[in-house]
Structure formats: structure tokens, C-alpha cells
């Protein structure tokens, strides 16, 4: 606005003193408060960045690193930092991976200053006993990135796309490593599962399982076995083997699980036969008993060693060693539900010289014809609560517990409910014999709605397992989600505007009818249908509001808010849908400071003056007269310049004037819709005043009053504007705020 004021005052001065028209070709000093400004500066405002593009060409490493995933992307112009979010997807019971939902993404780093990032998934790669079996190797990791500039307070309005290129995974160690245990006098064969893209494998051998042993050989990636020849002097010696996979770029995986192997010695005893788990197919809830037939020998004292592996850990664990010859049954109490255990028995003969000779392991692993396998009676490993057909019902879903396929008489299930997460569970349905499965492999049944559910498994002998983990229904979506729009709210004065002079937005909501969820998550986006960003780190509990102190909020930008209800377990999928909010209640934006309000209002005023022709004439006398120009979208601007007494006067009258839509979208309405006058009077010295005021409606309603603006020596040289800002309902936010006449000239040439 001040550009016009100065132009108007100088025009008056130039009309009276026609020889001064050359001023328009030069720069003049306005006052000591501001720098020299050209006419071009008055009339044309450089384009201003209000948002950034999302990062492009996001690349994520796929099976290239053992403990981390590396992400890179192209630089975004004007970005200073990048925000990275990640969603972890686990395989379902069929080994399939679903694409992540928007709500699955969590922030892992808010301030990345480069265009690459290393996401460390497993930090300790030296703990080989645990690393090789880490479930993280079976997960997929999806990433999305946004750009930000917190100094200038803008961000990208969207995230990078979530595609297969933005999905990564770790480079796993070889799995299922096995070594011969007494199958030969001089050879130990090591086998393992192939690793995708491996070009070779490195074999290590040690004498204990405390650390990785010495490198002994490498084989091509097309092979998954190696035979180690054992010198005669080392026959009978136990060795622990590990295998690493290697990529073409030289990257090595962590070592796979230790595989125990040894060769037989002459005179080695037979391995125990008929090794079995007695009543081990889901008949016990606490322990497993392993039995075998005795081994006899006249060459020394016979003892046994009992080992086990499991469905989640192929490494051999000693259950008990130095078992007396007459004991052929051991009860293993170190077992848990949900896991299959495989047992192996080894015979050991100790002669009169105290030398030990060991048999091979019994052929009772998972690949054998008669595995010595057992498992505890276990509850379903996965339980989920989905919606029912009515508001008063839910669908309880579960997947089969471990060992279901071994039962000649199918397991049955009992379902319990409670109003308390930890205790007081009451039967809701008992003896369910599942028949129907859904497309995801879940059994399901519809029941009355309760706060918490657990399921147990019942075997053919009517023995019942422990209860499953707790599951809870997803609470219903909150109602009446509303965001403030350039408004004051309770406690408004305690919050400061961000660097772009935008105040926070308050989002409020009501609990679902007849329901009080444990908490809520709040999301924000500049779009109705996508790119929602989680704002709170933990669920909001015991409150029905959130103050969004959006550090990147820009004047003129509207935001959509989605509030999702979550249960005490942190699960929830139901929220308000901005796409269905035809009244735009969930859309909000913060109030502006008085100074910032004037800057935004002044964009329309400056744009209107560019359309005038008389005031831009090169001949000063030609500037006198009247003309009317149309607003780009609505209304008119009337201009009149005339000599008045010993001075001159310029009238600028706005009638229903508008040049811009909100967000350049006609459906959003006018940005500023102006009525009123910005008139100027000055004497022969070019000194004078502005007077009258304008009223604006649109995105930011308010009043700009010019009565206190001073014209000195043909330019705006002092005083202030009085600005009153309002909300959409006409309530005053700031009243008669004094905006210095220099506001709007910051950062100009």
C-alpha cells in the first residue's frame, strides 16, 4: 500500500511542479527510516515462495546392508531440512506384505540437513547370537519424505510418493545353517538357505559358540553347501560353523546362526533311537517330556546329551548333558507357548582313560521322517477385533495357534471379555469350532461389543491354554471435529505467532456417541484426501482439543485436520473424513498479526494499481483525470486526480473489489474483498495526509484505516495505519492496532 501512497504524493507534487517528472527515472531518499526505493519497487512485488515441492527420485536400499537402510533423494529448491517418516510392515501368515496405511507412518527424524539418510534398524551387529534371528530381517520398511525451511517457515505440501522404490529391507544372514553331526568319520557338510542376490558365501569355523571362528572357505553364490574335511587328529572334535553372504559390491551380511558339527571316531556308539516327545502335541501347558530308547555298550560308561532347536531359532541349545545311562526321559520346563521345539539326543561313551566318544545326533529334526517335535497348548498368536454388523457388536478374529495342523480332532476356542484390560475376564462364547476363514486367513465370529477380549485354545481332552494377548475394538471416530479459522480461542493470548506471523489453530472434537476412547491422534494436511501428518507424539488422553502451533503455517494457506480415536493399546483407524466435510468444519487456519494482515491485504491493493493507466503516464499533466478499472474477479477501482487549491487530491475508491481467490480456487471464495477509499491530499511542498479507510471480507476480514498516515516531501514519511482484524463471524481479534508506515518494505532494494 505504501508504494501507492508515495506514488500518489509524488504525483501531486509533480503535477504542481511539472519539471519534476524526471524523478520517476531516479531514486529518492524517503526518510532516514527507510532505504532508497525505485518506482519499480513501488509497483511490483517479487513472487513469494509459500510452499516447497516434495522430494523426488526417492531411492531406498533393498537388501544391501545388514543393519541399516539407506535413503537418498533429489534436492528440493529452497529446502533447508527434510522430515522422514517410516512405516514397518510385517508379513502375514501367508508371507504376504500389505501396503501401509497413512496412519502407519511414524516420524523417525524431523531435521535431516542432507539429501540422504541412514536408518539404523539393528545397532549391534556384533551380537551374532541374536542378530541372525532378529525378526527385523523379515520386515519391509516404507519411507516418505517432506521438505521444510523452518527459517522462512514453509514446507512441502505433499510427501514423496510411497511406491515399491521407497520400500526397503535388510540384507539378511543365511538362515537354517546345518552341519553334519557324526554322519562321517572325516567330513562335515554344512548347508544353508540361499540369500537373494548373494554372489558368494564365506564359511567360518570355531571351537565354541562365543564368537565367530576362523575363515576357512568361500563358495559361489549359486551353491548353498560346503564340505569341511577333518584331519584324523581332530575327528570327534566339535566345531561351530557360521556362514556369511556377500553381495557383488563386497557388502557382507552378519554371520548366520551357529551350526554345531563334528565327525565320528572309530568305536562311536549308536545314536539313541525312538526319540520322541511324549504327549507333546498341545497336551501340556507347562512342559514337554522327551523320551528315547536306551543305548548299551561294553566299552565304557554311557551317558546322553539332550539338545533342542525351535521354530524361531535353529541354533542348538543344550537342554541337559551327562544324563545317566538308566535315565531315558527328561522334562523340559524351559519352553513357552507359540513355538515348536525339536529335540535331539546324543550318546556319549567315556572309556577307562576318560576319553569321550560321541554318537551322531538322532535324526529327529524338522526335515526328518520322524521329528521329535512338541509344543505347548497355545492360544492363538494373532487376535484382532473388527467392526460388527451393528454398533453393538464386534467381529472377533483370530488365526490358528501353533500346531493346529497336527490335530486329528480340531482345536476349539473360548472367547472371553472384560471391562478391565488386565483381569476379570468372563466367557463370551465357549467351545467354538471354527469353520469359516476370511480372505486373510482369520477365523471370525460376531459377538456383543465389550472393551477387551482374549481367546484360549481347547484341545480334544478339554484342556485349556493360557489366554491370548489382549485385543480391543477400534473406537468409533470422534464427532464434530472443528478447527478455528482466523479466530481467537480460550488461551489465545498465551500463544505466540510463528515466524510468518501466523497464530496457532485450535482443533476440538466430541467423543463418539456413548463412547470415551482412550485417546486421540491428530493429523494435518493441505489436502482433503492425502498427505496427512501426525502431529502428536503420543495419544492425547483426557482432552478433546489440540493446539496446532504450526511452525510452517503460511498466510493464505488452509489446513485440513483429521482426528483418529485410539484404544488403550494404541490401536485405532476411525477418524473424521475431510472428504465428507462439506461444511469445511475440520479445515482451519490461524489468525494473522496486524502487520501480517496488512501485508496480505496490500497485495490486492498493489495489484489493483498496476491496472491504472493515468498514474503511469510519462507526462505529468496527463496524470490528471479519472478512470475506472475492473477487479480480476469482481468489482471496480475508481481513480481521480485533480488540482485542489494550492495542492492536489487523488481519490481511490474500491467497490466490491477482488483480484485473488483463496488458494487460486474459485470454490474457496475471495482472498480479500475490498470496499472503501484510500485518498490523498498534499500541498505544493508535497506534504499532506492520507484519509478514509477500507473494509475487507474474505479469508481475513478486517479494516485498514489511513487517517494517521503522513506524506512528507512527496512520499509516505511517517505515521501509521490503524488495522482492525476480525474472524469470519465478525468478532474482533485485534482492534485499532498501529501498523508502522514502513511495514511491507522489509527486504527491498
Amino acid at each position: 500500500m505504501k508504494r501507492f501512497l508515495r506514488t500518489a504524493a509524488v504525483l501531486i507534487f509533480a503535477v504542481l511542479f511539472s519539471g519534476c517528472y524526471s524523478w520517476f527515472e531516479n531514486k529518492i531518499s524517503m526518510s532516514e527510516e527507510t532505504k532508497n526505493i525505485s518506482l519499480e519497487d513501488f509497483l511490483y512485488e517479487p513472487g513469494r515462495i509459500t510452499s516447497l515441492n516434495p522430494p523426488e527420485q526417492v531411492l531406498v536400499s533393498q537388501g544391501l546392508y545388514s543393519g541399516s537402510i539407506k535413503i537418498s533423494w533429489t534436492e528440493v529448491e529452497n529446502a533447508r531440512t527434510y522430515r522422514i517418516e517410516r512405516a514397518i510392515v510385517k508379513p502375514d501368515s501367508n508371507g504376504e506384505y500389505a501396503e501401509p496405511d497413512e496412519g502407519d507412518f511414524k516420524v523417525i527424524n524431523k531435521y535431516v540437513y542432507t539429501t540422504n539418510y541412514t536408518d539404523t534398524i539393528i545397532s549391534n551387529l556384533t551380537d551374532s547370537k541374536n542378530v541372525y534371528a532378529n525378526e527385523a530381517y523379515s520386515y519391509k520398511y516404507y519411507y516418505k519424505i517432506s521438505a521444510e525451511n523452518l527459517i522462512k517457515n514453509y514446507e512441502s505440501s505433499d510427501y514423496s510418493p510411497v511406491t515399491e522404490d521407497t520400500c526397503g529391507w535388510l540384507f539378511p544372514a543365511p538362515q537354517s545353517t546345518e552341519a553334519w553331526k557324526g554322519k562321517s568319520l572325516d567330513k562335515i557338510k554344512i548347508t544353508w538357505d540361499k540369500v537373494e542376490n548373494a554372489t558368494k558365501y564365506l564359511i567360518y569355523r570355531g571351537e565354541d559358540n562365543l564368537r565367530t571362528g576362523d575363515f576357512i572357505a568361500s563358495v559361489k553364490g549359486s551353491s548353498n553347501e560346503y564340505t569341511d574335511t577333518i584331519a584324523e587328529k581332530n575327528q570327534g572334535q566339535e566345531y561351530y560353523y557360521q556362514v556369511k553372504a556377500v553381495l557383488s559390491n563386497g557388502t557382507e551380511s552378519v554371520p548366520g546362526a551357529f551350526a554345531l558339527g563334528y565327525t565320528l571316531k572309530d568305536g562311536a556308539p549308536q545314536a539313541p533311537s525312538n526319540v520322541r516327545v511324549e504327549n507333546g502335541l498341545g497336551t501340556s501347558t507347562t512342559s514337554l517330556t522327551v523320551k528315547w530308547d536306551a543305548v548299551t555298550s561294553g566299552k565304557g560308561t554311557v551317558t546322553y546329551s539332550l539338545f533342542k532347536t525351535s521354530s524361531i531359532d535353529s541354533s542348538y541349545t543344550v537342554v541337559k548333558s551327562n544324563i545317566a545311562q538308566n535315565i531315558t526321559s527328561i522334562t523340559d520346563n524351559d519352553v513357552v507357548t507359540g513355538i515348536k521345539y525339536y529335540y535331539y539326543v546324543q550318546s556319549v561313551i567315556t572309556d577307562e582313560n576318560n576319553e569321550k566318544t560321541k554318537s551322531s545326533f538322532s535324526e529327529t529334526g524338522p526335515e526328518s521322517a520322524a521329528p521329535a517335535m512338541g509344543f505347548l497348548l497355545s492360544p492363538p498368536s494373532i487376535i484382532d477385533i473388527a467392526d460388527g454388523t451393528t454398533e453393538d457388536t464386534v467381529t472377533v478374529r483370530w488365526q490358528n495357534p501353533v500346531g493346529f495342523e497336527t490335530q486329528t480332532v480340531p482345536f476349539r476356542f473360548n472367547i472371553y471379555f472384560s471391562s478391565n484390560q488386565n483381569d476379570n475376564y468372563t466367557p463370551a462364547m465357549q467351545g467354538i469350532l471354527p469353520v469359516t476363514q476370511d480372505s486373510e486367513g482369520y477365523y471370525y465370529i460376531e459377538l456383543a461389543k465389550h472393551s477387551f477380549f482374549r481367546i484360549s485354545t481347547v484341545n480334544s481332552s478339554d484342556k485349556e491354554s493360557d489366554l491370548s494377548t489382549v485385543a480391543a475394538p477400534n473406537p468409533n471416530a470422534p464427532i464434530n471435529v472443528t478447527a478455528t479459522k482466523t479466530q481467537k480461542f480460550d488461551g489465545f493470548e498465551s500463544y505466540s505467532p510463528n515466524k510468518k506471523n501466523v497464530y496457532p489453530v485450535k482443533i476440538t472434537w466430541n467423543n463418539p456417541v456413548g463412547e470415551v476412547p482412550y485417546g486421540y491422534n491428530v493429523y494435518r494436511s493441505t489436502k482433503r484426501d492425502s498427505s496427512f501428518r501426525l502431529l502428536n507424539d503420543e495419544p492425547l488422553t483426557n482432552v478433546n482439543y489440540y493446539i496446532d502451533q504450526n511452525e510452517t503455517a503460511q498466510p493464505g494457506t488452509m489446513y485440513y485436520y483429521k482426528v483418529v480415536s485410539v484404544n488403550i493399546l494404541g490401536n485405532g483407524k476411525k477418524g473424521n473424513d475431510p472428504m465428507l466435510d462439506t461444511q469445511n468444519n475440520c479445515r482451519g487456519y490461524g489468525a494473522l498479526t496486524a502487520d501480517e494482515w496488512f501485508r496480505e491485504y496490500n497485495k490486492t491493493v498493489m495489484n489493483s494499481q498496476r491496472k491504472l493507466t493515468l498514474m503511469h503516464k510519462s507526462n505529468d499533466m496527463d496524470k490528471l483525470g479519472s478512470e475506472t478499472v475492473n477487479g480480476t474477479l469482481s468489482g471496480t477501482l475508481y481513480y481521480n486526480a485533480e488540482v485542489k487549491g494550492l495542492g492536489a487530491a487523488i481519490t481511490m475508491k474500491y467497490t466490491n473489489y477482488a483480484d485473488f481467490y483463496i488458494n487460486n480456487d474459485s470454490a474457496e471464495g475471495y482472498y480479500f474483498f475490498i470496499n472503501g477509499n484510500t485518498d490523498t491530499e498534499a500541498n505544493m511542498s508535497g506534504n499532506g495526509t492520507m484519509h478514509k479507510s477500507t473494509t475487507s471480507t474474505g479469508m481475513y476480514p478486517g479494516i485498514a484505516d489511513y487517517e494517521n498516515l503522513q506524506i512528507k516531501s512527496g512520499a509516505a514519511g511517517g505515521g501509521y495505519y490503524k488495522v482492525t482484524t476480525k474472524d469470519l463471524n465478525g468478532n474482533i481479534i485485534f482492534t485499532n492496532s498501529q501498523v508502522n508506515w514502513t511495514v511491507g518494505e522489509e527486504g527491498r532494494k
Side-chain angles (χ1 to χ4, degrees), residues 609-673:
Q609 293 170 15
R610 297 187 186 109
K611 300 176 183 179
L612 296 171
T613 58
L614 289 178
M615 68 179 294
H616 303 309
K617 295 285 188 180
S618 58
N619 187 312
D620 297 324
M621 296 305 296
D622 289 343
K623 300 178 189 293
L624 297 174
S626 301
E627 66 175 311
T628 300
V629 294
N630 295 320
T632 304
L633 306 177
S634 171
T636 59
L637 166 60
Y638 168 74
Y639 164 92
N640 181 69
E642 60 183 10
V643 176
K644 185 176 181 181
L646 296 178
I650 293 180
T651 298
M652 302 282 277
K653 180 179 178 60
Y654 291 90
T655 303
N656 298 331
Y657 189 93
D659 272 342
F660 306 110
Y661 289 123
I662 300 170
N663 292 332
N664 296 318
D665 185 350
S666 61
E668 302 288 5
Y670 300 129
Y671 191 40
F672 278 85
F673 187 79

Side-chain angles (χ1 to χ4, degrees), residues 217-492:
S218 68
V219 298
K220 293 181 178 179
S222 58
S223 176
N224 64 330
E225 63 179 49
Y226 172 75
T227 299
D228 186 19
T229 300
I230 307 300
E232 182 177 355
K233 65 178 181 178
N234 295 326
Q235 291 173 3
Q237 167 74 44
E238 291 182 346
Y239 292 105
Y240 290 87
Y241 294 91
Q242 287 182 290
V243 182
K244 290 183 180 180
V246 183
L247 295 173
S248 59
N249 63 3
T251 299
E252 297 181 5
S253 74
V254 295
F258 286 102
L260 172 64
Y262 58 90
T263 57
L264 290 178
K265 291 175 65 175
D266 287 335
Q270 292 293 315
S273 61
N274 198 23
V275 179
R276 71 267 183 201
V277 180
E278 188 172 76
N279 296 322
L281 303 182
T283 56
S284 171
T285 59
T286 57
S287 61
L288 296 173
T289 298
V290 185
K291 292 188 174 183
W292 59 91
D293 292 348
V295 172
T296 59
S297 174
K299 298 180 180 180
T301 302
V302 175
T303 58
Y304 308 104
S305 295
L306 177 63
F307 298 82
K308 70 179 177 184
T309 60
S310 76
S311 55
I312 64 169
D313 186 353
S314 60
S315 182
Y316 287 81
T317 301
V318 177
V319 178
K320 189 174 179 60
S321 60
N322 202 30
I323 303 169
Q325 181 178 12
N326 63 328
I327 298 176
T328 57
S329 176
I330 293 292
T331 297
D332 183 9
N333 296 304
D334 187 19
V335 288
V336 296
T337 59
I339 297 175
K340 290 181 179 179
Y341 294 93
Y342 298 89
Y343 292 90
Y344 312 81
V345 184
Q346 179 189 56
S347 302
V348 181
I349 293 179
T350 305
D351 63 17
E352 64 275 9
N353 297 320
N354 205 33
E355 288 192 12
K356 298 181 182 296
T357 305
K358 301 174 181 179
S359 75
S360 61
F361 273 33
S362 59
E363 293 287 343
T364 48
E367 305 301 324
S368 67
M373 184 270 291
F375 54 88
L376 298 180
L377 182 62
S378 305
S381 58
I382 300 177
I383 174 174
D384 176 58
I385 311 299
D387 289 343
T389 56
T390 72
E391 286 294 319
D392 298 323
T393 62
V394 294
T395 300
V396 181
R397 306 166 70 229
W398 68 95
Q399 292 191 346
N400 277 314
V402 64
F404 72 95
E405 76 285 353
T406 67
Q407 305 299 297
T408 55
V409 178
F411 287 137
R412 290 166 289 134
F413 300 93
N414 295 338
I415 301 179
Y416 295 83
F417 70 89
S418 177
S419 59
N420 185 299
Q421 180 182 357
N422 298 316
D423 52 29
N424 299 323
Y425 280 84
T426 302
M429 184 73 72
Q430 293 182 293
I432 300 171
L433 187 64
V435 176
T436 306
Q437 290 178 287
D438 63 18
S439 59
E440 297 180 79
Y442 284 87
Y443 294 108
Y444 59 92
I445 188 169
E446 188 165 0
L447 298 172
K449 190 174 186 178
H450 294 284
S451 299
F452 301 99
F453 290 89
R454 301 177 79 178
I455 302 179
S456 66
T457 303
V458 180
N459 65 18
S460 59
S461 300
D462 291 330
K463 181 171 285 189
E464 186 177 11
S465 74
D466 295 336
L467 296 182
S468 69
T469 56
V470 178
N474 291 322
N476 286 321
I479 59 176
N480 301 327
V481 176
T482 304
T484 58
K485 302 166 182 63
T486 187
Q487 287 173 254
K488 277 188 174 182
F489 48 81
D490 290 343
F492 178 86

Side-chain angles (χ1 to χ4, degrees), residues 566-615:
V566 297
N567 58 35
I568 196 171
L569 307 177
N571 300 323
K573 297 181 179 178
K574 299 177 184 177
N576 63 297
D577 186 352
M579 291 290 291
L580 303 178
D581 185 1
T582 57
Q583 300 301 312
N584 290 323
N585 292 322
C586 71
R587 186 176 69 181
Y589 53 96
L592 304 179
T593 64
D595 283 14
E596 193 62 36
W597 183 95
F598 188 83
R599 291 187 183 96
E600 294 302 307
Y601 153 84
N602 207 34
K603 291 178 182 178
T604 297
V605 172
M606 288 294 95
N607 197 65
S608 71
Q609 293 170 15
R610 297 187 186 109
K611 300 176 183 179
L612 296 171
T613 58
L614 289 178
M615 68 179 294

